[in-house]
Amino acid sequence: MSKPFYITTPIYYPSGKYHIGTAYTEVLCDMLKRYHKLHGEDSFMLTGTDEHGQKIQNKAIEAGITPKEYVDKQAEEAKKLWSLMKIDYDKYMRTTDDYHEKVVQDIFERFLKQGDIYLGEYEGWYCEPCESYWTETQLVDGMCPDCNREVKKMKEEAYFFNMKKYADRLLKYYDEHPNFIKPDYRKTEVVNNFIKPGLEDLCVTRTSFDWGVKVKSNPKHVVYVWLDALTNYITALGYGQENTELFDKYWPANIHLVGKDIARFHLIYWPIFLMALDLPIPETIYVHNFIVMKDGKMSKSKGNTIYPEQLIDKYGLDATKYYLLREMPTSGDEVFTPEDFVGRYNSDLCNDLGNLLNRTISMINKYFDGIVPDYKGHINPVDKELEEFITESVKNNADYIEKFEFASSIQAIWDLISRTNKYVDETEPWVLAKEEDITKLESSMNHLAMSLRAIAILIRPFMKDTSDNILRQLGLNTEVTFKDLDIIKEFNNIKVIDKGEPIFLRLDADEEIAYIKELMK
Ligand code: MSP
């Protein structure tokens, strides 16, 4: 029996509305959690908010409220969005939770005692929005290499974590665990850019602000956000607390999902902190790319931002999730364009999937009074081919997920949808009906229903409502799991609905493209 599945998103900065890029990590995590759950695994998903630090303190001052009031409000907003997006998380973690703060303090004192943390003085280029210090050589044209904003020289008494001590152990760990960093090229990047040039010790406290976890033995210091933030993955499960039941069950994580901007912190510092704590290291850290606009990063000042609520409101949750997941390549950024969004909606969802369902339901009604004929084996020459294609698609979908190629895992389902549409053209049910070739017609209808059921189950991890809708129209129970993918399941006496209901309405492309462009302003 494999270990229960533990999957996490990063904890989000509660510093404003989340655009579709930020929501991507959450949507991907939710899909994987549901996928594993539908495979019958005991799965646990963690998300939450990363509530300390200067940036948050500044925001609260701007708003004229206390940092605590500010983060309480923001955490509520975040939960509302995840609820609108039907994110199936098991725990919402907040770094201002008492138990978390206490464990962070204990960990800090332990590191001090072990000699992993020492007191020194830090001078460097500090990027306030990213809460990161950079060395002179890391700056790009004198600006922050992550966000391209201004940095300022800062100097302060600070504690440091002795990263150098662990550098060789970390490299050895990477080599011995080829699945730890995914996709593989991220490993090369992190080794060449940060470890080979000489791993620098990490500054882990600040004295310049006080919205954070205070160092117990020297309270003028607050713990610098990354040591505070990263440990959420274990404190959320009860690590260092009285009840460690969840921690014992779920740790180490199977997968942490992170965007490329925070890869460095997860790939270097997090495993080193865990080594210092003598804890097992997560199986995989998957680094995804960014959703960007034609003119670069999404930002309010550029006026090129789009929010998930806006798309969901007009086009529905499933279409929004489908687009985000389907378009993200493993090797580069996903460029959001209204043309692509509307194009995918009309061609993939409305034409390929929607029409297939509609045609099938209306033919079953027309030829067999709505009763799906029984399965009788391979009657049409292409029946066997379609069955094999279903089996193959189920396997391809799983293989791609296993290989962390998520957009391809969805492509595999749409290959099956195309193959099934082709099957309709090949069997020509309208000709069979005219020629009164009933056995072949029965088989054609049965195979179409069979394929649509498989499709409904395969899309379930990211298009739950559409999946329910297809199953309901086919007259099937919506309580399904991946175990029900056994294809030759009999459709004896199943009654489909009397009149098919379109699952996606065709969009007027020009009108909707103009509408989305307007939203982006
Ligand atoms: N608080 C830190 C994470 C600490 S984890 C111990 C943080 N928060 S964040 O709110 O800025 O980012 C949340 C997630 O959104 C991250 O995975 C980040 O990479 C992701 N994204 C932010 N903008 C994005 C895009 N434009 N596209 C895709 N993902 C993006 O970082």
Side-chain angles (χ1 to χ4, degrees):
M1 179 82 188
S2 62
K3 175 196 154 296
F5 189 78
Y6 179 37
I7 182 164
T8 69
T9 68
I11 38 173
Y12 285 66
Y13 290 127
S15 51
K17 241 168 120 59
Y18 301 150
H19 56 59
I20 52 166
T22 332
Y24 176 78
T25 322
E26 198 77 18
V27 170
L28 177 61
C29 195
D30 180 60
M31 162 173 106
L32 291 174
K33 143 96 200 263
R34 287 171 184 272
Y35 173 87
H36 284 274
K37 206 165 139 188
L38 286 163
H39 270 285
E41 289 172 63
D42 174 347
S43 313
F44 191 97
M45 171 179 165
L46 177 72
T47 192
T49 25
D50 183 0
E51 304 186 349
H52 292 128
Q54 179 136 44
K55 197 162 64 174
I56 305 296
Q57 191 166 356
N58 293 348
K59 287 257 178 190
I61 293 170
E62 254 172 56
I65 49 178
T66 65
K68 182 74 173 95
E69 282 166 345
Y70 178 80
V71 293
D72 283 351
K73 202 164 141 259
Q74 292 293 326
E76 277 320 302
E77 289 300 312
K79 283 185 192 168
K80 257 192 234 155
L81 175 62
W82 303 148
S83 146
L84 174 74
M85 299 189 80
K86 300 192 180 163
I87 303 292
D88 188 22
Y89 62 79
D90 297 278
K91 174 156 178 135
Y92 192 93
M93 173 70 201
R94 298 182 57 185
T95 50
T96 50
D97 289 341
D98 294 353
Y99 61 87
H100 172 78
E101 294 193 345
K102 183 180 172 303
V103 178
V104 170
Q105 286 184 322
D106 294 347
I107 289 176
F108 195 94
E109 294 304 317
R110 173 170 167 185
F111 286 167
L112 260 179
K113 211 155 135 210
Q114 284 177 188
D116 286 320
I117 282 180
Y118 61 89
L119 188 62
E121 196 174 57
Y122 192 85
E123 189 179 46
W125 293 100
Y126 187 62
C127 173
E128 216 171 79
C130 296
E131 291 176 338
S132 290
Y133 268 106
W134 302 97
T135 61
E136 187 84 40
T137 50
Q138 286 171 333
L139 300 180
V140 177
D141 299 328
M143 301 294 212
C144 169
D146 266 359
C147 72
N148 200 28
R149 276 182 274 209
E150 265 185 30
V151 287
K152 54 183 176 192
K153 194 112 194 198
M154 296 233 311
K155 190 174 177 177
E156 61 185 60
E157 178 190 278
Y159 285 95
F160 286 82
F161 190 99
N162 186 350
M163 292 288 166
K164 289 185 195 80
K165 180 172 144 191
Y166 291 92
D168 289 343
R169 231 176 111 183
L170 183 66
L171 284 175
K172 189 161 174 276
Y173 188 86
Y174 287 173
D175 286 341
E176 287 170 358
H177 298 84
N179 262 353
F180 177 56
I181 302 180
K182 287 287 163 190
D184 295 336
Y185 67 88
R186 294 286 176 196
K187 175 179 153 188
T188 320
E189 266 174 23
V190 92
V191 170
N192 291 345
N193 297 346
F194 296 105
I195 307 183
K196 281 217 178 118
L199 191 53
E200 300 200 7
D201 288 349
L202 178 75
C203 180
V204 284
T205 65
R206 289 280 184 280
T207 52
S208 50
F209 62 89
D210 64 0
W211 177 240
V213 179
K214 292 202 169 24
V215 172
K216 231 192 215 161
S217 54
N218 190 356
K220 77 170 189 224
H221 287 260
V222 295
V223 177
Y224 164 63
V225 284
W226 283 99
L227 177 58
D228 169 14
L230 287 162
T231 50
N232 95 88
Y233 299 130
I234 52 177
T235 58
L237 297 180
Y239 173 78
Q241 298 146 63
E242 221 164 86
N243 184 352
T244 59
E245 205 180 302
L246 289 176
F247 181 75
D248 299 337
K249 182 171 173 191
Y250 291 109
W251 193 257
N254 295 70
I255 182 162
H256 290 313
L257 298 176
V258 302
K260 62 180 180 180
D261 56 329
I262 51 173
R264 174 167 69 110
F265 306 101
H266 284 81
L267 302 179
I268 301 177
Y269 307 135
W270 182 223
I272 289 182
F273 290 151
L274 290 167
M275 284 173 188
L277 287 171
D278 232 348
L279 288 177
I281 289 171
E283 209 173 293
T284 298
I285 293 178
Y286 178 80
V287 182
H288 65 72
N289 288 300
F290 263 32
I291 298 180
V292 295
M293 296 306 201
K294 264 192 190 144
D295 53 351
K297 266 191 161 181
M298 256 177 277
S299 80
K300 273 189 211 146
S301 54
K302 272 193 204 162
N304 65 355
T305 312
I306 191 125
Y307 297 100
E309 295 95 327
Q310 296 175 315
L311 295 177
I312 294 167
D313 187 40
K314 189 80 198 277
Y315 308 104
L317 177 61
D318 285 5
T320 305
K321 284 187 178 175
Y322 173 75
Y323 176 84
L324 295 180
L325 294 165
R326 176 74 170 77
E327 284 275 318
M328 178 67 88
T330 310
S331 56
D333 288 334
E334 165 179 343
V335 181
F336 175 92
T337 67
E339 291 81 359
D340 287 345
F341 184 86
V342 174
R344 285 245 175 248
Y345 188 104
N346 274 344
S347 76
D348 300 8
L349 301 178
C350 187
N351 277 2
D352 297 349
L353 179 57
N355 283 352
L356 175 64
L357 176 69
N358 229 270
R359 282 211 278 179
T360 304
I361 298 287
S362 68
M363 289 192 289
I364 294 171
N365 272 306
K366 184 165 170 199
Y367 303 135
F368 296 102
D369 289 332
I371 308 287
V372 182
D374 292 352
Y375 177 74
K376 298 218 180 68
H378 306 144
I379 309 292
N380 295 294
V382 283
D383 288 353
K384 187 160 178 266
E385 259 179 53
L386 182 67
E387 286 177 32
E388 283 169 355
F389 206 95
I390 298 172
T391 313
E392 189 96 335
S393 303
V394 172
K395 190 176 167 309
N396 287 345
N397 174 256
D399 285 352
Y400 281 123
I401 298 246
E402 203 71 12
K403 287 193 285 186
F404 310 98
E405 293 179 26
F406 305 118
S408 304
S409 75
I410 296 176
Q411 169 72 53
I413 308 171
W414 258 258
D415 288 346
L416 173 59
I417 296 172
S418 301
R419 181 65 190 87
T420 313
N421 274 314
K422 189 168 157 223
Y423 174 89
V424 180
D425 298 338
E426 287 167 342
T427 53
E428 297 182 305
W430 48 93
V431 176
L432 298 176
K434 215 189 244 160
E435 292 171 355
E436 295 186 9
D437 196 342
I438 298 307
T439 322
K440 278 192 175 164
L441 186 59
E442 283 176 348
S443 188
S444 175
M445 294 304 110
N446 184 286
H447 279 81
L448 286 177
M450 173 199 292
S451 189
L452 270 164
R453 185 194 45 208
I455 292 161
I457 298 173
L458 287 169
I459 62 170
R460 213 163 166 77
F462 54 97
M463 293 173 75
K464 162 90 169 42
D465 293 345
T466 307
S467 167
D468 280 349
N469 198 340
I470 297 175
L471 293 168
R472 195 179 50 77
Q473 296 205 30
L474 286 171
L476 296 169
N477 192 338
T478 52
E479 297 286 306
V480 289
T481 72
F482 274 68
K483 285 205 187 80
D484 298 298
L485 275 171
D486 138 39
I487 62 160
I488 325 260
K489 194 142 189 195
E490 291 186 18
F491 267 92
N492 290 341
N493 267 325
I494 296 284
K495 169 92 180 67
V496 304
I497 62 166
D498 293 343
K499 201 174 164 345
E501 296 158 7
I503 45 176
F504 296 100
L505 289 173
R506 198 172 175 79
L507 302 176
D508 177 322
D510 291 343
E511 208 173 280
E512 298 306 327
I513 289 167
Y515 174 79
I516 299 175
K517 281 188 177 155
E518 203 50 43
L519 291 180
M520 284 157 67
K521 289 181 193 154

